[in-house]
Amino acid sequence: MGRAALYLHIISTAIIYSVSADDSRPNIVVIMADDLGWNDVGFHGSNQIPTPNIDALAYNGIILNRHYTLPTCTPSRAAFMTGKYPIRTGMQGRPLLCGEPRGLPLEETTLPQRLKDLGYITRLVGKWHLGCFRSEYTPTKRGFDSHFGYWNGYVDYFDYMIDQEDFIGYDLHRDMNVSWAENGQYATDVFTREAVRLISTHDTSRPLFLHVSHLAVHSGRDTQLLEVPNVEEALEKFNYIPDTQRRIFSEMTTRLDESVGQIVSALSDKGILNNTIIVFLTDNGGATIGELQNWGSNWPHRGMKFTLYEGGVKGVAIVWSNSLRNPGRVSMHMMHISDWYPTIYAMAGGEVTSLGKIDGINQWPTLLQDNSDIRRNGTLLNVGDFDDMEAIIDGKYKLIRSTLKNGVYDGFYGEDGRGSPNPPYNDTGVIISPVSKAIIALNVNSSAEEPQLKDKIRQIRLNATVDCKGRRRHYFGGPYCHSYCLFDLDDDPCETNNLISTYPNVTETLMKKLTQFKKEMVPELTKRLDRASNPHFFNNTWVCWLDDENVKKVPKTDDATGKINCTLSGSSTDLALAFCLLTSMLCVHVILSHF
Ligand SMILES: *[C@@H]1O[C@H](CO)[C@@H](O)[C@H](O)[C@H]1NC(C)=O
Ligand SMILES: *[C@@H]1O[C@H](CO)[C@@H](O)[C@H](O)[C@H]1NC(C)=O
Ligand SMILES: *[C@@H]1O[C@H](CO)[C@@H](O)[C@H](O)[C@H]1NC(C)=O
Ligand SMILES: *[C@@H]1O[C@H](CO)[C@@H](O)[C@H](O)[C@H]1NC(C)=O
Ligand SMILES: *[C@@H]1O[C@H](CO)[C@@H](O)[C@H](O)[C@H]1NC(C)=O
Ligand SMILES: *[C@@H]1O[C@H](CO)[C@@H](O)[C@H](O)[C@H]1NC(C)=O
Ligand SMILES: *[C@@H]1O[C@H](CO)[C@@H](O)[C@H](O)[C@H]1NC(C)=O
Ligand SMILES: *[C@@H]1O[C@H](CO)[C@@H](O)[C@H](O)[C@H]1NC(C)=O
Ligand SMILES: *[C@@H]1O[C@H](CO)[C@@H](O)[C@H](O)[C@H]1NC(C)=O
């Protein structure tokens, strides 16, 4: 090594060393719930399911009350990971099926990759659902230093199995290995324990990005079977709720809430909470009825998961940091799930302009400083090649078309949770929750007394509660927006009053914007199921079946061409599926029943 080169080597080593030795960049923890409804948490006004930890995070942080997602998991997670509307990456269609040979395109630079480039340790616990047919699509090849969890859309809460028609396999992985040790243990607790372990063993010389992507509160593996460790206890604890399935759902939500408590406590115990930013959000609305029903409630909004009505896409979201100016507020600034990509990059100290052309907008300056900058005036909600729905928001107006399932998901469903027989809101429970305790410990000099705190909670909660202005209860049935509907979301957040003929000028403006997005859209990536994916060939586990070593394990048979075995069990839905696949059509059944 020449003298100059040696000198440079010493300098660059010194720079790297100085960054890592004195690293004040914040840790970032993103906790994502699956199919959690608007009204399944306490801070939006419901007394039905106590969520003291999540509520404490909300009251001490910012409640993001106009936070939009995509209506199902794969598209939402694609937007979160890339900062782009899914129409840019072909991920806008139905959620990825197990055994479908596709994934988030490899040319996309994911959020954890970006953070890794900034020196972060990046960890994923729980769900991925952005592709696994070849190893290069799995989390540890897409920017995560480690992953413990599942690759597909959901698994059983105890046995970690998932089936796609007659293909059934185990899906719990530690990086590329199948992990058997946790088989039989309750998933929410298993993922929480892993998150806590990663926090307590974290090497603090580097900042941490931890994405806890829970299975909760998705329905269990068998459609409409909800899973908790102790059913009898849950039924008793929530005996004031008439619907027994909703009682079990409440216990699933309680476990999720306790997970948030344990994660925040772990950050506190490690002494890094003060320098950690926490985001809590859902990937889409609750699945109140129908396919993969989980009894979640999006009250008082219209619609549910799968739809582009507010109930499907306006999701629970909170951000907390001890550095927020004027915390304990409800933000009505519009945010889209793609915004987290530049927002988190900015939190980490990255230069947002280096991210290239994305749809996400950096909201961090506005959130942190509580200024009135309007960073986003509108958002595309989605359009697709095959989907019979599309929607866009511009300012207070929303244009939507929806014929999905002939409108059966387009009404108002779920629990109000406010009046009797629900118990009164337990604000004491919030104040003594593990999350509150950890946050109070950071701010020992804060002088607020309990009555003041309770009054503040009451006010914030009132501000976070959506008011339908009495319209909702008069409203059953239509309009289903088979053609287009135009709603004024400021005046009518429950989407009851179609203004399409009142404001043809507004309609025209929004229609033009929507048409432009359609022109820019990349065709949906959807593929047939690949018979070679059958877990049967791989000790009944889901693997990256198109990796060379796995291709060898699949016997060559007459239909090894990639067609799946359509001789299914013979029920009418299976036959419908077989028909869809055989004719390569994406009918509603396929769209809805697999994700
Ligand atoms: C995966 O399994 C291999 C072989 O047993 C082992 O060496 C490796 O540490 C495992 N990886 C993880 C992340 O557990
Ligand atoms: C949003 O709309 C307001 C009012 O029309 C305008 O002043 C502002 O520049 C817009 N912001 C963006 C980011 O387009
Ligand atoms: C409120 O929550 C706390 C903590 O979970 C619990 O101990 C208390 O019994 C609850 N109070 C009521 C009235 O349910
Ligand atoms: C938390 O961080 C802030 C800003 O860096 C600092 O002023 C404060 O002293 C810290 N508090 C604790 C309890 O460490
Ligand atoms: C609390 O106040 C005391 C006295 O003003 C001060 O010395 C101490 O640093 C403060 N602690 C925190 C965590 O702000
Ligand atoms: C609630 O909203 C009102 C009206 O926008 C505002 O004046 C008040 O400060 C808010 N209160 C809290 C605690 O956010
Ligand atoms: C649409 O027309 C109404 C009156 O018919 C007018 O008040 C409104 O400002 C117009 N809006 C736009 C966006 O042009
Ligand atoms: C095959 O699966 C069983 C569980 O069904 C497991 O115990 C065993 O370790 C697996 N074998 C291999 C080689 O992974
Ligand atoms: C297709 O599935 C049927 C029913 O499960 C089974 O009997 C048949 O052997 C399968 N054929 C192939 C080629 O796997």
Side-chain angles (χ1 to χ4, degrees), residues 389-451:
M389 49 185 187
E390 51 194 47
I392 188 169
I393 298 178
D394 191 22
K396 61 180 182 172
Y397 291 110
K398 173 169 173 178
L399 183 73
I400 177 170
R401 190 176 73 84
S402 175
T403 61
L404 183 78
K405 284 234 158 183
N406 215 16
V408 296
Y409 291 164
D410 294 1
F412 297 97
Y413 318 96
E415 305 273 335
D416 175 351
R418 282 172 186 75
S420 163
N422 300 299
Y425 186 62
N426 188 350
D427 46 12
T428 306
V430 174
I431 293 170
I432 64 172
S433 67
V435 166
S436 271
K437 284 184 180 158
I439 293 173
I440 288 168
L442 289 181
N443 303 291
V444 284
N445 289 349
S446 147
S447 58
E449 298 296 327
E450 193 161 309

Side-chain angles (χ1 to χ4, degrees), residues 36-48 65 246 249 285-288 295-305 309-312 314-316 411-419 422 464-476 493-495:
L36 180 70
W38 182 266
N39 216 36
D40 297 329
V41 292
F43 71 82
H44 279 150
S46 172
N47 295 345
Q48 196 164 57
N65 248 23
R246 175 80 178 163
F249 175 84
T288 318
W295 279 261
S297 170
N298 306 303
W299 181 284
H301 293 123
R302 186 166 186 188
M304 48 171 265
K305 174 172 183 175
Y309 289 100
E310 299 287 273
K314 199 170 90 176
V316 171
F412 297 97
Y413 318 96
E415 305 273 335
D416 175 351
R418 282 172 186 75
N422 300 299
T465 301
V466 168
D467 181 4
C468 286
K469 298 172 187 152
R471 287 207 184 110
R472 183 185 187 281
R473 79 180 92 93
H474 301 298
Y475 209 81
F476 291 98
C494 303
E495 300 170 286

Side-chain angles (χ1 to χ4, degrees), residues 58-132:
Y59 301 140
N60 287 287
I62 307 171
I63 297 173
L64 304 166
N65 248 23
R66 286 196 80 191
H67 180 275
Y68 288 95
T69 66
L70 277 291
T72 54
C73 26
T74 298
S76 252
R77 288 155 199 268
F80 178 80
M81 288 292 176
T82 62
K84 296 179 183 174
Y85 293 137
I87 59 161
R88 315 287 188 202
T89 55
M91 303 299 281
Q92 68 272 36
R94 62 157 160 72
L96 196 48
L97 314 186
C98 321
E100 194 186 359
R102 66 167 169 124
L104 183 69
L106 295 177
E107 57 271 22
E108 296 303 325
T109 308
T110 64
L111 176 61
Q113 262 169 288
R114 296 284 187 191
L115 295 171
K116 212 169 136 97
D117 291 347
L118 294 178
Y120 273 69
I121 300 215
T122 55
R123 309 221 177 260
L124 175 65
V125 176
K127 170 162 161 172
W128 171 239
H129 210 192
L130 289 171
C132 62

Side-chain angles (χ1 to χ4, degrees), residues 500-512:
I500 200 99
S501 47
T502 317
Y503 297 125
N505 54 349
V506 178
T507 301
E508 195 191 322
T509 308
L510 268 72
M511 200 71 85
K512 267 191 198 144

